[in-house]
């Protein structure tokens, strides 16, 4: 199946620091979705990006879709302990989740 | 708010036994999915289901797996002869429309432990 790679695999930040996770594909993505999974929980939808170069914001979260539609990023400004979890990107047309970035926020 | 429900929340079984995991998707959704997540690893796609048939499946979804919609509400995943490596969290998900048109709504998951 089509693979989307995510980096980094883990990120430990101090509360208040920023955080970014990247999703990369070797082929063009028709769309990309981002999900968050809290420890012990299930994936929860955050956003879907469809257009080349698209940027969407949700409070402290900024999502970008690359111009070539081969990569995407999620940036969190001023992390809080409630941001702890694993963030996954998914090329939903192909159902396959990225490997995820596990975020730990130290208070 | 409508939600996907899964039962059981946790099942422990002996290797070689059959297991059925049950899901009730959101009522007006038409597309159903099973994913699994081995502890600490990524979420892996197993199968998608629409109009009473499998629309796509991954390499993981081999002959020991089957899915069924036995009535108008339930969507089940059967593992015929469980192996140790089947131990994982199994998530059911549903969407109102086809892939790429909206978000996946996930259930809380069923944790399967194979001894």
């Amino acid at each position: 199946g089509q693979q989307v790679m995510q980096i980094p695999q883990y990120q430990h930040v101090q509360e208040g620091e920023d955080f970014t996770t990247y999703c990369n594909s070797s082929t063009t993505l028709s769309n990309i979705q981002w999900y968050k999974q809290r420890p012990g929980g299930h994936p929860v939808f955050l956003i879907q990006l469809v257009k080349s170069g698209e940027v969407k914001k949700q409070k402290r979260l900024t999502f970008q879709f690359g111009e070539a539609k081969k990569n995407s990023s999620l940036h969190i400004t001023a992390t809080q302990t409630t941001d702890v979890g694993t963030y996954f990107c998914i090329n939903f047309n192909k159902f396959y989740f990225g490997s995820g970035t596990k975020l730990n926020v130290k208070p | 708010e409508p939600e996907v429900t899964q039962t059981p929340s946790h099942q422990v079984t002996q290797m070689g036994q059959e297991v059925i995991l049950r899901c009730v998707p959101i009522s007006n959704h038409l597309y159903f999915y099973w994913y699994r997540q081995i502890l600490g690893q990524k979420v892996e796609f197993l199968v998608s289901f629409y109009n009473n048939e499998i629309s796509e499946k991954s390499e993981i979804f081999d002959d020991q797996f089957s899915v069924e919609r036995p009535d108008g509400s339930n969507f089940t995943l059967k593992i015929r002869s469980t192996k140790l490596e089947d131990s994982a969290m199994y998530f059911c998900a549903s969407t109102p429309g086809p892939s790429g048109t909206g978000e996946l709504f996930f259930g809380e998951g069923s944790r399967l432990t194979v001894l």
Side-chain angles (χ1 to χ4, degrees):
Chain A
Q2 186 175 48
Q3 296 292 324
V4 286
M5 307 302 295
Q6 270 185 265
I7 55 170
Q9 189 176 3
Y10 300 98
Q11 185 87 53
H12 300 271
V13 299
Q14 198 71 40
E15 189 172 24
E17 291 180 340
D18 292 356
F19 159 77
T20 305
T21 173
Y22 301 90
C23 188
N24 299 300
S25 171
S26 57
T27 58
T28 303
L29 303 168
S30 54
N31 68 71
I32 197 152
Q33 296 183 343
W34 286 92
Y35 289 77
K36 176 184 177 182
Q37 185 179 27
R38 293 182 187 273
H42 59 280
V44 175
F45 175 80
L46 294 175
I47 205 116
Q48 174 166 292
L49 304 171
V50 178
K51 299 176 185 174
S52 168
E54 189 169 14
V55 177
K56 287 188 177 180
K57 292 193 175 185
Q58 289 179 351
K59 297 182 181 178
R60 293 179 295 105
L61 277 60
T62 302
F63 303 85
Q64 289 189 313
F65 202 6
E67 292 290 341
K69 299 182 75 172
K70 290 185 176 182
N71 55 71
S72 181
S73 65
L74 158 58
H75 179 82
I76 302 178
T77 304
T79 54
Q80 300 174 358
T81 54
T82 52
D83 296 324
V84 165
T86 303
Y87 293 84
F88 293 98
C89 62
I90 173 175
N91 176 19
F92 187 34
N93 280 14
K94 293 295 181 183
F95 310 107
Y96 295 93
F97 275 67
S99 47
T101 296
K102 189 172 182 179
L103 172 65
N104 187 37
V105 180
K106 291 178 282 188
Chain B
E1 185 176 323
E3 58 182 19
V4 176
T5 57
Q6 289 186 242
T7 54
S9 56
H10 189 193
Q11 179 149 3
V12 181
T13 190
Q14 294 291 324
M15 189 170 55
Q17 294 296 304
E18 177 181 284
V19 161
I20 297 176
L21 305 179
R22 291 183 168 79
C23 169
V24 179
I26 294 173
S27 62
N28 62 344
H29 286 190
L30 301 176
Y31 295 79
F32 315 122
Y33 312 84
W34 282 102
Y35 288 84
R36 80 172 186 191
Q37 186 177 34
I38 296 170
L39 185 63
Q41 298 187 23
K42 73 175 187 179
V43 178
E44 299 175 294
F45 169 70
L46 292 178
V47 66
S48 63
F49 191 87
Y50 168 70
N51 199 26
N52 281 320
E53 58 183 33
I54 291 173
S55 46
E56 188 157 339
K57 61 182 180 179
S58 71
E59 294 174 351
I60 304 169
F61 195 87
D62 60 23
D63 292 343
Q64 70 161 337
F65 291 94
S66 63
V67 288
E68 192 178 31
R69 187 154 165 83
D71 53 44
S73 59
N74 289 284
F75 177 51
T76 62
L77 174 68
K78 182 191 289 186
I79 310 174
R80 285 191 188 83
S81 178
T82 50
K83 306 171 191 159
L84 295 176
E85 55 265 35
D86 293 327
S87 294
M89 181 73 90
Y90 289 80
F91 291 107
C92 174
S94 68
T95 57
S99 64
T101 63
E103 67 181 274
L104 284 160
F105 290 82
F106 282 88
E108 302 267 340
S110 292
R111 179 169 297 284
L112 175 65
T113 302
V114 182
L115 303 176

